[in-house]
Amino acid sequence: MRYRPGLVADYQSDAAIFKSNVQRFWFSVLLVAVVVLGLGGTIPLIPGLVDFSLQTDLLLIGTTAMFASIGAIGLNIVTGYAGQVSLGHAFFLGIGAFTGALVGGVEVTRQVVDLDTGQFVEKTLVYGFGLDLIIWLPAAGLVAALMGLIVAPLAFRLRGLYLAFVTLGLVFLGEHVFREAKVVTGGVGVGRASGVPSLFGFRFDEPGEVFGVFLAKNQKLFFLGLGLLIVLGIAAKNMARSKVGRALAAVRDRDIAAEMMGIPLARYKMIAFVVSSFYAGVAGGLLFAVIGRVEPLSFNLLLSIEYIAMILIGGVATVSGSIMGAFFITFLPRIVKWLAGFWMFGFISDSPTGGFVNLAQMEQILFGGLIIMFLILEPLGFYGIWIRVRNYWKAWPFSY
Amino acid sequence: MRARMLNEFLPPGDRDGPAILEFDEVHLSFAGIKAIDGVSFSVKAGELFAIIGPNGAGKTSIFNCISGAYHPEAGSIEFEGQTLLGLKPNKIADLGVARTFQNIELFPQLTVLDNLMLGRHQHIRYGTPAAMLRIGKASREEARNREIVEGIIEFLDIAQFRRSFVAMLPYGIQKRIELGRALAMEPTLLLLDEPTAGMNLEETEDMARFITDIRRELKIGIILVDHDMRLVMDLADRVLVIDFGKSITIGVPEEVQRNPDVIRAYLGQEHAIADQGDDQ
Ligand SMILES: Nc1ncnc2c1ncn2[C@@H]1O[C@H](COP(=O)(O)OP(=O)(O)OP(=O)(O)O)[C@@H](O)[C@H]1O
Ligand SMILES: [Mg+2]
């Protein structure tokens, strides 16, 4: 028998993530391109005409986008796959960020005079244990996951908009706690140092040589993001195409029938919240490790909405959609700035007061407009567009 | 035409076993309306037990009580000696009760394969961490259960729809997939709520053939609710007739068909037994 490409020989390979050589090929191309860009290389988009390389600031935004992708995948697990609308994602991001900062960040002390003895003594203003990334990053995920476990019972009784409202309450609760718990968060306007991305002494936040190649700080963080995104992305994809993913979809689509199929609803809603919060915790810890500081007021409703926008624009219940949406939202300010450079967008002013609309306003208009546009025109988001493009090109560049 | 028998990959069941379901003096009402008014019956392993009655008689309500969606006010429901009252629907499913629905309750956004694999849920043994890593056990369990699902696909002759999304498929095929999903659960008791509703003659005959094959190859208890009298009288071992939640009679098809109360209950109904008998 002639070899038939794509022939399914056994059920294991039938369930593989990349079902065809075409998918494997394009994933490899993408991966190579990203690695080349991360190393500071140039990709010829149209050979000889349009070249593309990442300047330092784009590299930094790209790194942020990869960490945001992990958070967006987390939100997609609970909201996209399991259908439990959560506006509380900012809360879990915050828990991760501050847990990471507490376990992996530095302590802040001050010399104060002890009134009894008249001597100078050390007083701790902000706690920090300064532990390794290998400890603080899982801790950030696990503490957030624990919060998810505590919050999950809300979803046992509430659904749809009611659940959305109650999870929104979490954000306000979180904001209050983060503001008041100054010994951990540093307090409003001050903040604190984030977890230090140091893995067994290897500093991702300092320039240095790796395998004989000199990498800047941003490049090292970029590759940390890429590695973690691949690992966590594949894990999420694996879960989605497993017993767990099927059960989540069943709970989302028809919960009563699902229960009669032997699926315990409460248990799977709990799994969704726990896994989702774990991803949010990891993302929260890392996002602020890029900047180096965390501030209590960052974890507000707007942040939750940004993540909702990522999955709506990228594609609900898809891992690749989560990544596309996260990149788009993270790059949006840059895109607006770039657009403002063209004459037909001259009405966008780059001064905060002058002009018809300024950059920040334009960004918000685009942000809102796109959410509405995608909800109405393309409910599957970028993922839906990508599927259509893919179907158009089918198997290119292979003949079968 | 079929290559494999169901009992090659599903537990064959035990026809000589005792009664598997005891439905005893059950009462259920909605806002004053008595949906089930003291109905009693029992189903033996390997038996095909039919429930008939006019629209709104309470047939679906009986199914909903057995599968744990409705909670009777009085009476008892025992499955293999254990009470089902107070158990959650998923526990009842775990015990071995599977069902189909009058209005198809498939997962429309999933493929046929995923719908059938959902039927296997309780038999697939691995946890969330293994699912994320998908090494060893998770991968093996998926393959093992996939094989059973493939057997069911073959049995129901739906191989060409394997990867189709359920929402895209014709009604008759959806009904078939729902039967497959219930079979995938390896039930000891199978509840079929109007499996031929809305089907044309050919589809109805296919469904009758599947039910007959299931009976022959698996000795499980089946409760069949259907308005197609010919189908019911041909297939059933015993028939329970209810009207307005009350049991009218219970017996073998020949007895039931001759019972004057049954004829009266059906008089003026769309599904009069006499009409149905004379059809075609
Ligand atoms: N969830 C519910 N809420 C209120 N009333 C209900 C509910 N379920 C059933 N009923 C009522 O109980 C009675 C029996 O309904 P049921 O669905 O069991 O009838 P059925 O015999 O299955 O009818 P059909 O042949 O039309 O399917 C009807 O009067 C119905 O209106
Ligand atoms: Mg009914």
Side-chain angles (χ1 to χ4, degrees):
Chain A
M1 195 180 78
R2 206 172 73 88
Y3 170 70
R4 275 164 52 205
L7 176 78
V8 175
D10 63 289
Y11 300 140
Q12 249 129 343
S13 62
D14 188 26
I17 291 188
F18 302 112
K19 287 200 187 65
S20 67
N21 291 333
V22 183
Q23 284 174 349
R24 228 163 286 146
F25 172 81
W26 282 112
F27 181 75
S28 315
V29 168
L30 185 68
L31 198 60
V32 169
V34 170
V35 170
V36 168
L37 288 174
L39 289 172
T42 302
I43 305 266
L45 277 186
I46 305 169
L49 281 176
V50 183
D51 288 341
F52 185 70
S53 65
L54 288 179
Q55 300 98 321
T56 319
D57 64 327
L58 285 183
L59 197 70
L60 192 65
I61 304 173
T63 308
T64 308
M66 285 192 283
F67 292 141
S69 297
I70 295 172
I73 292 171
L75 182 61
N76 231 335
I77 287 170
V78 76
T79 298
Y81 286 104
Q84 312 297 308
V85 179
S86 168
L87 283 177
H89 214 55
F91 170 75
F92 298 112
L93 287 162
I95 293 287
F98 286 119
T99 305
L102 175 66
V103 179
V106 291
E107 194 172 59
V108 179
T109 56
R110 197 170 62 185
Q111 299 272 324
V112 289
V113 180
D114 183 17
L115 292 178
D116 293 336
T117 58
Q119 300 279 317
F120 277 104
V121 288
E122 294 264 300
K123 182 173 183 292
T124 304
L125 293 185
V126 179
Y127 286 94
F129 304 126
L131 295 175
D132 195 271
L133 183 77
I134 199 76
I135 296 172
W136 74 252
L137 191 57
L142 289 173
V143 173
L146 182 69
M147 290 296 158
L149 185 72
I150 295 170
V151 166
L154 291 175
F156 299 173
R157 301 209 149 258
L158 301 169
R159 57 171 74 200
L161 268 185
Y162 297 99
L163 181 63
F165 270 121
V166 173
T167 49
L168 170 61
L170 274 182
V171 175
F172 293 114
L173 192 81
E175 267 194 306
H176 179 76
V177 173
F178 297 152
R179 202 178 311 152
E180 297 306 315
K182 291 198 181 71
V183 286
V184 175
T185 66
V188 175
V190 186
R192 65 163 297 158
S194 65
V196 179
S198 157
L199 184 65
F200 302 121
F202 178 85
R203 298 286 297 246
F204 284 97
D205 59 343
E206 283 170 5
E209 253 186 47
V210 185
F211 299 125
V213 185
F214 181 82
L215 291 180
K217 154 193 170 186
N218 284 345
Q219 286 174 308
K220 283 176 156 186
L221 282 169
F222 182 86
F223 285 110
L224 175 67
L226 182 62
L228 282 169
L229 178 56
I230 290 175
V231 169
L232 291 173
I234 288 178
K237 188 94 188 137
N238 277 343
M239 190 181 82
R241 68 204 171 95
S242 76
K243 167 193 181 177
V244 181
R246 288 190 297 263
L248 294 184
V251 170
R252 173 192 68 202
D253 291 345
R254 283 181 195 272
D255 51 353
I256 296 176
E259 210 176 4
M260 290 183 189
M261 285 357 316
I263 295 162
L265 300 185
R267 186 187 157 81
Y268 279 93
K269 287 179 183 176
M270 209 181 72
I271 289 175
F273 267 98
V274 167
V275 177
S276 163
S277 309
F278 180 86
Y279 275 69
V282 169
L286 289 167
L287 276 168
F288 291 87
V290 176
I291 313 164
R293 282 198 85 73
V294 211
E295 209 268 343
L297 293 188
S298 309
F299 307 98
N300 52 20
L301 176 60
L302 188 66
L303 187 66
S304 281
I305 293 180
E306 269 183 25
Y307 276 82
I308 295 272
M310 287 175 193
I311 65 170
L312 283 181
I313 292 176
V316 170
T318 63
V319 169
S320 39
S322 313
I323 298 172
M324 288 189 268
F327 268 78
F328 184 75
I329 294 293
T330 313
F331 273 91
L332 191 59
R334 259 311 281 254
I335 296 170
V336 174
K337 202 167 153 195
W338 175 71
L339 283 178
F342 292 93
W343 64 266
M344 60 274 209
F345 295 106
F347 59 87
I348 307 173
S349 153
D350 52 8
S351 98
T353 49
F356 179 59
V357 284
N358 64 32
L359 285 176
Q361 286 167 334
M362 193 58 214
E363 197 187 311
Q364 283 176 1
I365 292 170
L366 263 182
F367 181 67
L370 281 166
I371 295 178
I372 295 170
M373 196 185 82
F374 272 102
L375 278 180
I376 295 172
L377 298 179
E378 183 55 78
L380 290 175
F382 280 151
Y383 180 78
I385 295 173
W386 148 247
I387 290 287
R388 265 194 240 149
V389 171
R390 194 183 71 183
N391 287 349
Y392 180 75
W393 289 105
K394 261 298 160 10
W396 192 85
F398 295 94
S399 55
Y400 44 78
Chain B
M1 186 185 81
R2 269 198 291 121
R4 284 200 288 174
M5 306 265 286
L6 277 177
N7 53 23
E8 284 172 40
F9 48 87
L10 290 178
D14 174 16
R15 191 191 291 272
D16 300 321
I20 47 173
L21 183 78
E22 297 276 4
F23 196 87
D24 197 24
E25 275 297 316
V26 171
H27 291 262
L28 172 79
S29 51
F30 294 103
I33 300 166
K34 292 237 93 182
I36 307 175
D37 197 357
V39 173
S40 299
F41 63 89
S42 67
V43 180
K44 290 194 280 284
E47 182 179 33
L48 198 154
F49 186 87
I51 303 177
I52 61 169
N55 290 108
K59 305 177 295 291
T60 300
S61 299
I62 291 177
F63 277 12
N64 284 340
C65 287
I66 298 172
S67 44
Y70 290 173
H71 307 286
E73 290 118 34
S76 77
I77 307 175
E78 283 190 2
F79 177 70
E80 297 187 313
Q82 177 179 359
T83 181
L84 296 184
L85 297 183
L87 292 187
K88 288 205 165 232
N90 60 290
K91 275 277 160 251
I92 294 173
D94 285 350
L95 289 177
V97 179
R99 71 175 287 185
T100 66
F101 300 84
Q102 186 169 348
N103 306 305
I104 300 171
E105 294 271 355
L106 288 167
F107 304 104
Q109 304 192 33
L110 304 184
T111 61
V112 172
L113 261 179
D114 280 343
N115 268 276
L116 295 176
M117 285 297 275
L118 266 165
R120 297 296 306 162
H121 184 85
Q122 53 179 300
H123 302 285
I124 305 180
R125 293 181 199 290
Y126 61 83
T128 309
M132 298 184 96
L133 295 173
R134 209 187 181 89
I135 41 169
K137 195 170 168 200
S139 176
R140 270 198 313 276
E141 278 285 288
E142 284 288 310
R144 178 179 72 82
N145 284 280
R146 172 72 188 277
E147 215 160 315
I148 294 169
V149 160
E150 287 295 332
I152 291 167
I153 287 177
E154 212 173 296
F155 170 70
L156 293 173
D157 200 14
I158 46 176
Q160 79 247 52
F161 306 116
R162 212 189 253 116
R163 282 175 207 295
S164 309
F165 290 93
V166 162
M168 311 286 180
L169 295 173
Y171 178 83
I173 298 298
Q174 292 196 18
K175 279 272 186 195
R176 227 187 260 189
I177 295 161
E178 221 191 16
L179 175 65
R181 187 180 63 178
L183 278 178
M185 292 169 70
E186 284 184 27
T188 325
L189 178 65
L190 177 60
L191 313 178
L192 303 175
D193 199 350
E194 307 205 9
T196 71
M199 284 187 167
N200 62 29
L201 185 64
E202 196 191 331
E203 289 170 330
T204 304
E205 277 175 354
D206 281 342
M207 188 54 80
R209 190 162 46 79
F210 291 133
I211 297 173
T212 316
D213 287 348
I214 293 169
R215 290 209 62 198
R216 196 178 55 239
E217 295 167 25
L218 306 175
K219 309 285 179 278
I220 59 177
I222 301 176
I223 308 182
L224 170 70
V225 165
D226 211 282
H227 285 299
D228 186 326
M229 286 308 132
R230 265 190 8 134
L231 178 87
V232 168
M233 297 304 168
D234 280 354
L235 296 184
D237 295 313
R238 287 188 302 148
V239 181
L240 163 71
V241 187
I242 56 169
D243 194 13
F244 294 113
K246 280 198 168 61
S247 172
I248 292 181
T249 185
I250 195 166
V252 298
E254 297 76 42
E255 281 169 23
V256 167
Q257 268 168 308
R258 282 196 305 270
N259 187 309
D261 290 335
V262 175
I263 296 168
R264 202 173 309 122
Y266 271 85
L267 244 131
Q269 295 283 341
E270 260 181 275
H271 307 288
I273 291 184
D275 288 356
Q276 290 268 333
D278 292 344
D279 267 1
Q280 301 112 22

